[in-house]
Amino acid sequence: MKAFYGKIVKRIFDLLFSGLALLCLSPLLLILSLLVHAKLGSPAIFRQERPGKKGKIFTIYKFRTMTDAHDAEGNLLSDEVRLTAFGKMLRKTSLDELPELYNIFKGDMSFVGPRPLLVQYLSRYSKEQARRHEVKPGLTGWAQVNGRNAISWTQKFKYDVWYVDHISMALDIKIFFQTIVGVVKREGISADGAATMPEFMGDES
C-alpha cells in the first residue's frame, strides 16, 4: 500500500492539484513577477540545478529574493546585504516558492517530500543521509514543519529519512496543513546568524 501511494496516488494528486493551483494562481504569479522584476531586477525567476529523486538533476524555479549587488571590485555582496525587505517578505510568506508548482506539475517534485538542496551536497552526505533522495523532493516536508531552517542539518536529515520510511497519505495531509500554519506564523525561516541556512559541509552525521 505504501509503495502504491508513493508511486501512483501521490503523483496523481500532485499533477491534479499543481495544475489547478497554477491555473487559479496565475494572476498572482503574474503580479509577483512584475513586482520582483521592478524591485529586484531581471530575471524575476531564479533558476538553479538541484538533485531530485535518486540524485537526478533538475532545474528548480523560484522567484528571486536577492539583488545582484556587487562591491567596487566586482564581487557579489553577501546574502544578508542582497536580501532586501521585499525579498525577506517573499521568503517569510513563502511566496518565492510558488514557481515550484511548475516543478511539481512536470514531475520533478512533489507537494510533500525532503526539500531539494544544492548539487554539491550530494558527495557530502553519509549513506544514511543520502536516503532522503529515495523519494521526490517536496515543496514542503517533515523537516519544514519541525523547525525548517531553525534546526541543525543533523536533525533536518533525520526528519527527511524518517519521512522516507513513513510516507503515507495521512502523513502528507498532516504536513500540508502544518505547513499552512507555519507560513502564517512565519516560523523557522532562517538559522541564527544566517539569511537562511549555513552551508552543509558534510561533517554532520
PDB file of all heavy atoms in Angstrom, residues 22 50 56 78 126 128 130 184:
ATOM      1  N   LEU A  22      -1.754  26.240 -10.429  1.00  0.00           N
ATOM      2  CA  LEU A  22      -1.151  27.109 -11.437  1.00  0.00           C
ATOM      3  C   LEU A  22      -2.205  27.915 -12.185  1.00  0.00           C
ATOM      4  O   LEU A  22      -2.009  29.102 -12.483  1.00  0.00           O
ATOM      5  CB  LEU A  22      -0.338  26.270 -12.430  1.00  0.00           C
ATOM      6  CG  LEU A  22       1.011  25.760 -11.941  1.00  0.00           C
ATOM      7  CD1 LEU A  22       1.564  24.722 -12.909  1.00  0.00           C
ATOM      8  CD2 LEU A  22       2.006  26.904 -11.780  1.00  0.00           C
ATOM      9  N   ARG A  50      19.167  21.389  -9.026  1.00  0.00           N
ATOM     10  CA  ARG A  50      19.039  20.718  -7.742  1.00  0.00           C
ATOM     11  C   ARG A  50      18.910  19.214  -7.985  1.00  0.00           C
ATOM     12  O   ARG A  50      18.407  18.788  -9.034  1.00  0.00           O
ATOM     13  CB  ARG A  50      17.790  21.207  -6.987  1.00  0.00           C
ATOM     14  CG  ARG A  50      17.803  22.694  -6.622  1.00  0.00           C
ATOM     15  CD  ARG A  50      18.744  23.008  -5.501  1.00  0.00           C
ATOM     16  NE  ARG A  50      18.791  24.435  -5.204  1.00  0.00           N
ATOM     17  CZ  ARG A  50      18.041  25.022  -4.274  1.00  0.00           C
ATOM     18  NH1 ARG A  50      17.198  24.307  -3.544  1.00  0.00           N
ATOM     19  NH2 ARG A  50      18.128  26.324  -4.068  1.00  0.00           N
ATOM     20  N   LYS A  56      18.865  12.558  -9.433  1.00  0.00           N
ATOM     21  CA  LYS A  56      18.728  13.090 -10.788  1.00  0.00           C
ATOM     22  C   LYS A  56      18.619  14.616 -10.734  1.00  0.00           C
ATOM     23  O   LYS A  56      17.817  15.167  -9.991  1.00  0.00           O
ATOM     24  CB  LYS A  56      17.492  12.497 -11.467  1.00  0.00           C
ATOM     25  CG  LYS A  56      17.290  12.983 -12.892  1.00  0.00           C
ATOM     26  CD  LYS A  56      16.043  12.364 -13.511  1.00  0.00           C
ATOM     27  CE  LYS A  56      15.833  12.886 -14.924  1.00  0.00           C
ATOM     28  NZ  LYS A  56      14.610  12.306 -15.544  1.00  0.00           N
ATOM     29  N   SER A  78      27.373  39.837   0.156  1.00  0.00           N
ATOM     30  CA  SER A  78      26.839  38.732   0.956  1.00  0.00           C
ATOM     31  C   SER A  78      25.327  38.632   0.837  1.00  0.00           C
ATOM     32  O   SER A  78      24.646  39.597   0.470  1.00  0.00           O
ATOM     33  CB  SER A  78      27.212  38.923   2.429  1.00  0.00           C
ATOM     34  OG  SER A  78      26.553  40.065   2.958  1.00  0.00           O
ATOM     35  N   SER A 126      26.246  11.340   4.284  1.00  0.00           N
ATOM     36  CA  SER A 126      26.561   9.979   4.718  1.00  0.00           C
ATOM     37  C   SER A 126      25.597   9.049   3.982  1.00  0.00           C
ATOM     38  O   SER A 126      24.643   9.510   3.333  1.00  0.00           O
ATOM     39  CB  SER A 126      26.360   9.850   6.230  1.00  0.00           C
ATOM     40  OG  SER A 126      24.978   9.973   6.561  1.00  0.00           O
ATOM     41  N   GLU A 128      23.351   7.162   5.185  1.00  0.00           N
ATOM     42  CA  GLU A 128      22.008   7.314   5.760  1.00  0.00           C
ATOM     43  C   GLU A 128      21.370   8.618   5.305  1.00  0.00           C
ATOM     44  O   GLU A 128      20.188   8.654   4.937  1.00  0.00           O
ATOM     45  CB  GLU A 128      22.090   7.272   7.287  1.00  0.00           C
ATOM     46  CG  GLU A 128      20.741   7.394   8.008  1.00  0.00           C
ATOM     47  CD  GLU A 128      19.838   6.192   7.823  1.00  0.00           C
ATOM     48  OE1 GLU A 128      20.281   5.172   7.248  1.00  0.00           O
ATOM     49  OE2 GLU A 128      18.669   6.268   8.260  1.00  0.00           O
ATOM     50  N   ALA A 130      21.886  10.228   2.604  1.00  0.00           N
ATOM     51  CA  ALA A 130      21.591  10.160   1.171  1.00  0.00           C
ATOM     52  C   ALA A 130      20.258   9.481   0.882  1.00  0.00           C
ATOM     53  O   ALA A 130      19.717   9.620  -0.220  1.00  0.00           O
ATOM     54  CB  ALA A 130      22.716   9.428   0.440  1.00  0.00           C
ATOM     55  N   VAL A 184       1.761  30.968   8.162  1.00  0.00           N
ATOM     56  CA  VAL A 184       1.017  32.047   8.821  1.00  0.00           C
ATOM     57  C   VAL A 184       1.802  32.598  10.016  1.00  0.00           C
ATOM     58  O   VAL A 184       1.897  33.805  10.229  1.00  0.00           O
ATOM     59  CB  VAL A 184      -0.364  31.548   9.277  1.00  0.00           C
ATOM     60  CG1 VAL A 184      -1.050  32.610  10.142  1.00  0.00           C
ATOM     61  CG2 VAL A 184      -1.233  31.203   8.073  1.00  0.00           C
TER      62      VAL A 184
END
